[in-house]
Amino acid sequence: TEARVKDMLKGTGINPETIVVKAMMPEGLGVTVEKVAINAVMAGCEPRHLPVLLATLEAYDKHNLNSLVRSTNAFSFMQGVNGPIRNELEMNAGTSVLGPGNYANAVMGRALRLFIINLGGGVNGINMMAVVGNISTWPFMFPEFEEQSPWQSLSESMGFKKDENTLTMFTGGWAHSGNY
């Protein structure tokens, strides 16, 4: 509803008409903050999730992913979250980190697939040609368990400070004929 979208937009101070992605793949469509909010509502997200979702689109837009999205392989986009926001959003970094049950991991992970379909114009069998598919193309977001790791976090190893919130996007895929 319009009321839920208006509420979602409270999760950011950015003007709803601001363009977040100039050419979202696979069809190169323009994406505004308002369109992100609409899809965030459909994914089941809360306003407090919006900063992570905007970071997701920023990461997605940094690379030419057109060939990956359109591929006959089932490429997926794994998203790792670092920083205090992991705990603020109550993300699960522990047992069954990739399993069902954690609200934040699931809804924010699901949002990227909705972005690709609804904001990028992705249609299975038309411009997304994965032959078999891959479950990891749906909710594939989780936080690094920084508190239990014997190593510095991924974000720190990339030059960010421990108290900075970051999102890192990885791409990969699989097929029955072998990994690509």
Side-chain angles (χ1 to χ4, degrees):
T1 65
E2 287 184 31
R4 290 186 71 195
V5 173
K6 185 176 179 181
D7 189 49
M8 181 63 67
L9 287 166
K10 292 176 184 174
T12 182
I14 303 171
N15 182 313
E17 298 305 315
T18 300
I19 295 175
V20 187
V21 178
K22 290 181 183 175
M24 177 86 179
M25 292 299 136
E27 292 301 315
L29 305 176
V31 177
T32 63
V33 171
E34 181 180 40
K35 289 179 182 177
V36 174
I38 291 167
N39 280 269
V41 168
M42 287 191 289
C45 296
E46 299 173 358
R48 64 190 184 132
H49 298 142
L50 198 52
V52 174
L53 302 178
L54 293 170
T56 292
L57 283 173
E58 181 182 343
Y60 184 87
D61 193 41
K62 283 189 184 240
H63 305 284
N64 181 1
L65 302 174
N66 193 29
S67 61
L68 293 183
V69 174
R70 292 178 182 274
S71 176
T72 57
N73 196 351
F75 286 95
S76 62
F77 305 97
M78 181 179 81
Q79 300 172 80
V81 178
N82 286 94
I85 200 163
R86 305 168 297 119
N87 296 322
E88 292 166 19
L89 298 179
E90 302 172 49
M91 295 182 77
N92 174 30
T95 305
S96 193
V97 68
L98 296 179
N102 182 268
Y103 182 77
N105 293 26
V107 297
M108 291 188 296
R110 178 172 48 236
L112 176 58
R113 187 52 42 178
L114 291 178
F115 295 162
I116 293 169
I117 294 167
N118 297 328
L119 304 179
V123 180
N124 284 324
I126 302 295
N127 57 13
M128 295 190 313
M129 303 303 291
V131 175
V132 176
N134 179 350
I135 191 63
S136 70
T137 62
W138 199 239
F140 202 13
M141 176 186 282
F142 56 91
E144 184 175 352
F145 207 156
E146 296 176 22
E147 295 80 5
Q148 288 197 3
S149 177
W151 302 286
Q152 72 177 167
S153 70
L154 173 63
S155 62
E156 288 177 286
S157 72
M158 301 296 290
F160 294 94
K161 295 178 181 141
K162 187 176 189 73
D163 62 345
E164 287 184 272
N165 296 318
T166 64
L167 180 136
T168 306
M169 187 174 292
F170 301 87
T171 61
W174 69 280
H176 288 287
S177 60
N179 289 325
Y180 293 95

